[in-house]
Amino acid sequence: MKTVFLIFSLILTPALSYSQIVGPENPDMDNFNTIRQNGVSTIAAYGDTVWISPALNRNIGNAREWYSPDNADSVVNGIGRVFSLDLGQDTVVAGLGFSAEMPDGSVPAAYGFYTSIDGGDQWEFIEFPLDPPPPAECNINCTNYDPTCDITFKYGDKTYFRTRITVREQSPPYSVSFSRNIILTAAWATGLLRSSDFGDTWEKIILPPFESNDLNPDNEYEWTSEYNNEPINRYDPRQDNNLLGFGLLIDSQDRVWVGTAGGVNISENALYAPVDSVSWNHIRFENTTDGLLGDWIITIKEDPLSGRIWMTNWIAAQSQSQGLVYTDDGGQSFQQVLIGKHINDVGFKDGYVFAVGDNGLFISSDGGANWVKSPQIKSPNTFIKSSAQFYSVASTTNRVWIGTQDGLASTGDYGENWEITRVNFPLSGGNAYAPNARNVKTYAYPNPFSPSLHEVVRIKFEVKKRSNVKVRIFDFGMNLVREIEDDVFSPGIYEAIWDGHDEKGRKIATAPYIYVIEMGNSQVTGKILVAD
């Protein structure tokens, strides 16, 4: 979104609480076609085009407005949300999941896939491939293990049993990757799936047992499992972390890299070999200075300039650490960086490396040798909250895009200057997701507002002509709590930002509050419910 100049007023109290007004934006730029939500966990880019989650929003060339798909009902009007993306020339593959409600709370679940071969104009929905239900003679409640409940598979010349996955829960497609007509997905409990006909049919690719360093069809293997405390040789993702698929990459040499909760698996033939002949090299944490920092691998990416393979490491067991590693020799050794940082994603641009995580954004201008933590991201008319988690990163031809908990940031100069895109709900006319919304003169969001959860509340309003603007917060007895601004403002759309503290920097009590905006001879008001 293109921005104009900033009118900025910062008030610091002894407790370092703050309030400010940011803007203005031109009313003509109060976009109808906007992103769906501020939390952007997945980004993919190709050329000058970027796609983001959760609703398949697309932007070409950093245009002001965002595309929303017309005929992808599962994400536009349904419960499906984008969990993963991979792009090619005019081709989009999106892995879809949703939150399934269970007795103990919600869990991520598989929904399916969307594919497009015309740049997103038309979409084809693909059902997520689950195993068939067990035969009628299966006794799932029997005391002794009943192999008829499982599925048999061949690997090499041996026959094994694996757990039947018949439910969507805990199998969301966390990663997708494609090459020509072959699609791979890493789907947690379902593991690794392959389609050789662009989604028409699917087959499961077997991964090594956690304790094994390889998987080779010439050898025999044991996937350690148990039933009623009795050991059995059974391929069961509930009892082997290396069978839980998360990260995925098809690299420029057609090698397949699969990150699990039990390390990383590398295959030279997983794209094309029959499923009973796919071989793997399995690498796990061994507490060495040239190995993995931790076993949980959620993101695997290749630097297009150097061919270097990068992956995030999370802690899967005691004694492990977290951070980022890369390899230049196909996984024989790793260089460890950002040790101790909880990194979610990594991206590349012209020799720069961008790592995003719970601790913020880290930038290396020399391929990963040295790192600088980015200061709080600010644009001329807004900012990303200092407490926001950073989820995802991708690069278009001229920009780097960062998905955060609090909006989408992009830079054309490697982090020196930023533009920020957030959900835009115009004061009049609604947006693409609520086109019939009533016109208002002001609103506050989020509302209810929790200072500990949300950090700030934003109050949106429009100044129609140059005038003195005063923004104040009152309690329900009309006692002044905080004055945000008292100054002259030019015409435009502004956001007053308040952190839920009073003039002395004290956190206010849970209660309803009234905000009053005076603009010359006019006045608008609104309510904010402050919660814990």
Side-chain angles (χ1 to χ4, degrees):
M1 178 173 59
K2 190 176 179 181
T3 58
V4 290
F5 63 93
L6 166 73
I7 296 180
F8 184 87
S9 177
L10 185 65
I11 301 174
L12 295 180
T13 71
L16 295 181
S17 66
Y18 63 89
S19 61
Q20 68 183 65
I21 288 185
V22 292
E25 289 182 354
N26 189 320
D28 293 336
M29 297 174 61
D30 215 9
N31 301 341
F32 180 83
N33 293 311
T34 179
I35 64 176
R36 181 158 190 163
Q37 69 180 45
N38 290 328
V40 179
S41 60
T42 302
I43 306 177
Y46 191 94
D48 63 353
T49 303
V50 62
W51 293 83
I52 66 170
S53 66
L56 277 177
N57 293 125
R58 181 192 68 194
N59 188 282
I60 301 176
N62 197 30
R64 180 165 59 87
E65 297 211 347
W66 285 76
Y67 157 90
S68 297
D70 293 327
N71 54 356
D73 288 343
S74 296
V75 294
V76 176
N77 301 311
I79 61 174
R81 296 293 179 263
V82 174
F83 274 47
S84 52
L85 285 163
D86 196 22
L87 307 179
Q89 181 70 46
D90 295 325
T91 302
V92 184
V93 177
L96 309 181
F98 68 102
S99 292
E101 295 302 321
M102 304 290 287
D104 295 331
S106 62
V107 298
Y111 195 83
F113 305 90
Y114 266 132
T115 62
S116 174
I117 58 174
D118 59 7
D121 289 339
Q122 300 293 323
W123 295 93
E124 179 180 351
F125 178 73
I126 301 170
E127 287 282 353
F128 188 85
L130 295 169
D131 288 331
E137 61 268 24
C138 165
N139 184 1
I140 60 174
N141 297 315
C142 63
T143 302
N144 298 317
Y145 170 61
D146 183 357
T148 63
C149 297
D150 285 343
I151 290 178
T152 60
F153 68 93
K154 290 200 67 175
Y155 185 73
D157 60 358
K158 304 294 190 300
T159 299
Y160 302 91
F161 295 97
R162 69 170 177 84
T163 303
R164 190 182 297 266
I165 307 295
T166 60
V167 297
R168 297 175 180 271
E169 288 77 12
Q170 300 291 7
S171 285
Y174 280 127
S175 297
V176 292
S177 191
F178 75 92
S179 176
R180 295 170 284 278
N181 286 327
I182 298 173
I183 302 175
L184 298 177
T185 185
W188 199 236
T190 292
L192 179 65
L193 298 175
R194 182 181 72 185
S195 173
S196 298
D197 49 20
F198 210 64
D200 287 343
T201 60
W202 295 85
E203 51 193 350
K204 183 185 288 288
I205 304 293
I206 300 302
L207 295 172
F210 176 77
E211 297 295 340
S212 296
N213 295 327
D214 61 19
L215 191 68
N216 188 300
D218 296 331
N219 300 328
E220 186 172 354
Y221 295 89
E222 288 191 7
W223 285 273
T224 303
S225 184
E226 63 178 39
Y227 191 89
N228 287 340
N229 298 318
E230 293 294 327
I232 54 176
N233 187 5
R234 182 195 201 192
Y235 191 95
D236 187 346
R238 297 169 299 183
Q239 301 187 43
D240 190 323
N241 280 351
N242 196 47
L243 312 184
L244 296 168
F246 208 118
L248 179 62
L249 170 71
I250 302 172
D251 70 15
S252 57
Q253 301 179 44
D254 277 351
R255 294 175 299 189
V256 175
W257 303 65
V258 178
T260 70
V264 63
N265 305 270
I266 309 166
S267 176
E268 301 281 348
N269 68 347
L271 272 184
Y272 305 109
V275 293
D276 62 358
S277 303
V278 174
S279 58
W280 295 96
N281 178 30
H282 175 218
I283 303 166
R284 58 188 184 276
F285 170 79
E286 295 182 345
N287 201 21
T288 62
T289 58
D290 62 350
L292 299 179
L293 290 164
D295 272 334
W296 195 350
I297 314 297
I298 71 155
T299 299
I300 310 173
K301 287 189 175 178
E302 181 177 9
D303 186 333
L305 288 183
S306 66
R308 176 174 288 173
I309 306 297
W310 291 77
M311 59 191 75
T312 60
N313 288 188
W314 286 5
I315 297 170
Q318 290 184 350
S319 79
Q320 297 183 11
S321 186
Q322 58 189 358
L324 195 60
V325 301
Y326 65 80
T327 178
D328 293 316
D329 53 20
Q332 297 180 50
S333 63
F334 295 88
Q335 181 69 38
Q336 303 170 347
V337 300
L338 297 178
I339 299 173
K341 305 299 183 185
H342 195 270
I343 303 300
N344 297 317
D345 198 6
V346 60
F348 318 98
K349 179 68 175 170
D350 303 331
Y352 281 72
V353 185
F354 297 82
V356 296
D358 294 356
N359 311 99
L361 167 65
F362 300 86
I363 303 175
S364 172
S365 61
D366 53 12
N370 298 282
W371 295 84
V372 174
K373 183 177 181 181
S374 173
Q376 183 181 14
I377 292 179
K378 300 178 180 179
S379 74
N381 72 324
T382 189
F383 61 87
I384 300 295
K385 296 186 300 186
S386 59
S387 63
Q389 294 178 326
F390 288 60
Y391 297 140
S392 51
V393 55
S395 298
T396 51
T397 305
N398 297 315
R399 304 190 72 77
V400 177
W401 299 79
I402 308 291
T404 82
Q405 187 182 25
D406 190 41
L408 182 66
S410 68
T411 175
D413 52 15
Y414 313 107
E416 294 294 325
N417 298 281
W418 294 93
E419 294 182 15
I420 296 172
T421 302
R422 307 183 77 256
V423 172
N424 187 56
F425 201 92
L427 295 170
S428 59
N431 65 19
Y433 302 102
N436 298 319
R438 64 186 180 91
N439 297 342
V440 295
K441 295 180 178 180
T442 179
Y443 64 85
Y445 69 100
N447 198 359
F449 160 58
S450 168
S452 58
L453 177 63
H454 303 121
E455 187 176 340
V456 297
V457 61
R458 303 170 190 261
I459 303 168
K460 190 167 186 174
F461 64 97
E462 181 180 356
V463 177
K464 294 187 177 295
K465 62 181 180 180
R466 182 177 175 84
S467 58
N468 189 80
V469 175
K470 183 181 294 186
V471 181
R472 293 177 293 173
I473 309 292
F474 296 88
D475 63 20
F476 237 53
M478 293 310 294
N479 300 300
L480 180 64
V481 173
R482 189 70 177 270
E483 184 175 280
I484 295 177
E485 190 58 271
D486 184 358
D487 207 344
V488 176
F489 285 79
S490 301
I493 294 174
Y494 294 81
E495 285 186 348
I497 297 171
W498 178 47
D499 64 357
H501 290 73
D502 66 15
E503 291 283 4
K504 295 183 179 180
R506 298 171 300 193
K507 184 178 178 180
I508 61 170
T510 297
Y513 291 82
I514 297 172
Y515 64 88
V516 178
I517 305 170
E518 297 178 8
M519 297 170 285
N521 296 324
S522 65
Q523 175 179 291
V524 295
T525 64
K527 296 179 182 178
I528 302 171
L529 177 60
V530 176
D532 288 335

